[in-house]
Amino acid sequence: EAQVTQNPRYLITVTGKKLTVTCSQNMNHEYMSWYRQDPGLGLRQIYYSMNVEVTDKGDVPEGYKVSRKEKRNFPLILESPSPNQTSLYFCASSPRDRGLVVLTFGAGSRLTVL
Amino acid sequence: SQQGEEDPQALSIQEGENATMNCSYKTSINNLQWYRQNSGRGLVHLILIRSNEREKHSGRLRVTLDTSKKSSSLLITASRAADTASYFCATVNSGANNLFFGTGTRLTVIP
């Protein structure tokens, strides 16, 4: 089944404890992206990647890192999480057919930072 | 921010009625897309309309695009309780390959 898989789905952690949210897609998509969703603010893009070894900042990159060493994986790293990073996180991917980006989303990762 | 804005923020209708949601955006676009999100779950792509198109249909969905007003609308006809969800517009800006999402409309369809 074609899908985007995020792990963990739920996580409670403490301030300053490094964590990684993994994202993997099995559709050979070039484009991958991370979003965070907060009440009243919609989805805001954190980082995106057009292809392997190519990453760019989105609207809210502060406090996050990403890497794209393989086409299928796009992990989101929080080096020193803070309570304002408590949020619902989504990974998404897309082929880049004729320049179009149409996203397939993962199920989401709900992160709480105490 | 390059986000679009949906209007209204929330909409409640009776089953069988039509639901209309609007989206306004700020820059020139390549295409505009609508997504649906059931509570707390990942978004699902519904429909895409290119900048040179004015109207598009998919089943009970009808999308219009007015690039002069930088706005789009999503019409869901003959709504069902299962249509209850949040709906987001997303724009791909001209010269870019990135999506920017609006803040969403929460639709409740009452059986």
Side-chain angles (χ1 to χ4, degrees), chain A residues 31 33 35 37 40-45 48 50 59 88 90 96 98-103 105-108 110, chain B residues 1-3 30-31 33 35 37 40-45 48 50 88 92 96-104:
Chain A
Y31 179 97
S33 182
Y35 295 86
Q37 185 175 29
L41 297 177
L43 273 82
R44 295 180 293 167
Q45 189 177 49
Y48 65 99
M50 295 289 191
D59 286 333
L88 179 57
F90 289 102
R96 290 190 63 204
R98 291 162 288 165
L100 291 177
V101 174
V102 176
L103 294 172
F105 278 81
R110 187 168 293 279
Chain B
S1 170
Q2 300 182 58
Q3 279 187 318
N30 177 288
N31 66 79
Q33 304 174 30
Y35 288 76
Q37 182 184 33
R41 299 193 176 186
L43 282 72
V44 175
H45 179 259
L48 179 152
R50 298 172 190 265
F88 293 85
V92 178
N97 284 303
N98 215 8
L99 258 72
F100 296 96
F101 282 85
T103 51

Side-chain angles (χ1 to χ4, degrees), chain A residues 8-79:
Chain A
R9 293 287 317 281
Y10 302 91
L11 179 64
I12 300 174
T13 190
V14 295
T15 299
K17 185 176 182 182
K18 179 180 179 180
L19 68 92
T20 299
V21 186
T22 64
C23 175
S24 180
Q25 50 94 4
N26 61 0
M27 297 166 282
N28 202 36
H29 286 171
E30 292 85 4
Y31 179 97
M32 296 186 75
S33 182
W34 276 102
Y35 295 86
R36 62 177 287 174
Q37 185 175 29
D38 302 288
L41 297 177
L43 273 82
R44 295 180 293 167
Q45 189 177 49
I46 303 170
Y47 272 95
Y48 65 99
S49 169
M50 295 289 191
N51 215 325
V52 176
E53 301 291 2
V54 180
T55 62
D56 278 295
K57 296 177 181 178
D59 286 333
V60 288
E62 294 78 20
Y64 305 94
K65 284 176 58 177
V66 293
S67 68
R68 187 91 183 273
K69 295 176 181 163
E70 306 163 284
K71 199 170 190 179
R72 62 183 293 125
N73 296 322
F74 190 44
L76 179 69
I77 303 156
L78 286 73
E79 294 271 3

Side-chain angles (χ1 to χ4, degrees), chain B residues 16-56:
Chain B
E17 294 180 338
N18 295 341
T20 299
M21 290 158 267
N22 303 297
C23 169
S24 60
Y25 56 91
K26 298 175 182 174
T27 63
S28 295
I29 63 169
N30 177 288
N31 66 79
L32 183 144
Q33 304 174 30
W34 285 89
Y35 288 76
R36 165 194 168 124
Q37 182 184 33
N38 285 19
S39 182
R41 299 193 176 186
L43 282 72
V44 175
H45 179 259
L46 294 176
I47 194 166
L48 179 152
I49 186 165
R50 298 172 190 265
S51 60
N52 61 354
E53 297 175 314
R54 292 297 167 256
E55 187 171 312
K56 205 158 183 183

